[in-house]
Structures are given as C-alpha cells and as structure tokens.
Amino acid sequence: MTFVAAARMRDPALAAWTVLRFAQKPVSLADILFANDDVAQSARPTLADTIHLLDRWRGAGLIQRIEKPECYIMQAEARAFRDPPAVGETAREPKPRSTRQRIWSAVRVMRSFDLVEICFAATVEARAARRILNELTRAGFLTRTDRAGDDHPRWRLTRPSGPLHPRIEYAGRTMVAMVDRNSGARFPLAPSQKILAGEINHVS
C-alpha cells in the first residue's frame, strides 16, 4: 500500500468510500468497519458512526443496502467520485442524557425547587436526586432554603453556569471537588457533615 493510500485509509469516511468504490460485490458492514487492520482500535470509528455515515450516503442515492446479510454496494454513477461528495446531514437519534445531566438541566431552568419538583422535572428517583443535589450543594452550586413546616427539602441555584453538568473530581475513592465543565473552574467540596446538619436544622 502506498503512503497516499495508507493515509486515505486512516480517514474513516475515505476508507469506507474506497472499499465500496473498488468492491466488485456487496461489502459487509464488518469489512467496511475494519477496512484497515493497521489502524489502532482506538482510532477506528464506532459502529454507530459508521452506520450513520452509510445511511447518509444511502439517503443521497450513492450506495444501496442489501438485506440478509446486511451488505452495501456502491451505485455505478457514484464510482466516478474519488472522494465522497458532500451530502446533507441527517438527524441522529439523540443519546440518552445521564441522570446528572437531567438534574443539572432542570436546576438551570427552575432555579428554586424542592425535591419532589426536581424529581418530576428531571424524571429521576428521589434517592439519586438527593445525592446529586447534596454534591452540588457541597460545591456551592446550590444552597439549601428549607423552611419550617416544609414537607420536602428545598434548594436554590446560587452558582449559575452553562449547560454541561459539573463533574466530580476524585482523590483515590474520595470525592474532593466539582469541576465546572463550562468554565473549567474547580470548587472543593465542603465537608459532608455540614450538609448533613442542614438536613436536620431547617432554615426558618
């Protein structure tokens, strides 16, 4: 394989296009995905990305999918293109958002809420919500605003930030800080005993 050919095969789209362009018979999905065995596994495209790429080409009429077994073959007129032509992006199925992300998104919208409200808005279980909210409180993103007579604990957003949820930073197995992934700022966690005291002593 020449240097130019090897370089082309390192690009997932070019590799898939090249395999399909020169194939004399339908090509399996596995053969497209592993078009170049010399490429490190970490550099290979994921199965989902490969299928998405093939679906875009199929939607543009460049290739045809053959069922049972699943194979692909390039249309005769498409073989005239050395490189894949630009085609419109198709909608992808959104990835399920994590519990932590759903809670953070709801927090940013509601800004002030109790445990029941946040669980309903973020569609999460109370136990998971309480744990994550307490972590955000220890890092200063939230403040407890319980009042005497409240049936459920309440919080208020006190450190607004962007759409990405803060991530936990560990030292060994111990949580030591939260990092704002929008700004890069790091906030050490307050001792959990202080937060536990807030669970008992409601603010009047």
Side-chain angles (χ1 to χ4, degrees):
M1 183 181 293
T2 66
F3 176 81
V4 174
R8 285 178 61 84
M9 297 304 283
R10 293 192 191 99
D11 182 286
L14 290 178
W17 185 263
T18 301
V19 169
L20 287 164
R21 185 171 178 240
F22 289 101
Q24 299 302 310
K25 59 182 181 179
V27 184
S28 71
L29 181 59
D31 287 338
I32 296 171
L33 186 62
F34 300 101
N36 186 355
D37 288 336
D38 294 333
V39 175
Q41 185 172 357
S42 60
R44 287 177 181 154
T46 65
L47 177 60
D49 288 338
T50 300
I51 292 175
H52 179 61
L53 177 67
L54 295 173
D55 283 345
R56 289 173 58 194
W57 290 346
R58 191 162 59 93
L62 300 171
I63 64 174
Q64 178 184 356
R65 186 174 69 184
I66 300 173
E67 305 285 352
K68 297 182 180 180
E70 183 176 356
C71 294
Y72 296 82
I73 190 167
M74 185 171 286
Q75 304 286 27
E77 57 270 26
R79 295 178 187 272
F81 298 102
R82 181 175 183 270
D83 296 333
V87 295
E89 182 70 31
T90 57
R92 304 186 72 169
E93 188 70 22
K95 295 181 179 179
R97 296 192 302 166
S98 68
T99 298
R100 193 175 292 276
Q101 183 62 57
R102 294 201 307 275
I103 288 176
W104 178 247
S105 296
V107 164
R108 293 181 67 234
V109 172
M110 301 175 73
R111 305 184 75 86
S112 180
F113 49 86
D114 67 21
L115 183 62
V116 173
E117 291 169 341
I118 199 72
C119 288
F120 180 80
T123 60
V124 297
E125 298 291 335
R127 183 176 180 180
R130 185 186 291 270
R131 173 177 55 82
I132 292 172
L133 293 172
N134 282 343
E135 291 167 357
L136 290 168
T137 303
R138 291 175 61 191
F141 287 93
L142 302 178
T143 297
R144 287 288 293 267
T145 58
D146 301 346
R147 297 183 295 265
D150 282 348
D151 293 329
H152 306 285
R154 294 191 61 84
W155 288 266
R156 183 181 73 252
L157 178 63
T158 49
R159 182 174 287 143
S161 187
L164 300 177
H165 70 80
R167 68 172 175 83
I168 296 289
E169 181 180 293
Y170 290 88
R173 296 184 178 181
T174 303
M175 294 185 297
V176 295
M178 293 193 92
V179 177
D180 186 337
R181 297 193 295 152
N182 303 282
S183 67
R186 179 181 180 276
F187 302 99
L189 295 182
S192 58
Q193 290 83 355
K194 181 178 179 180
I195 303 303
L196 290 175
E199 298 270 355
I200 301 171
N201 301 317
H202 289 241
V203 178
S204 57

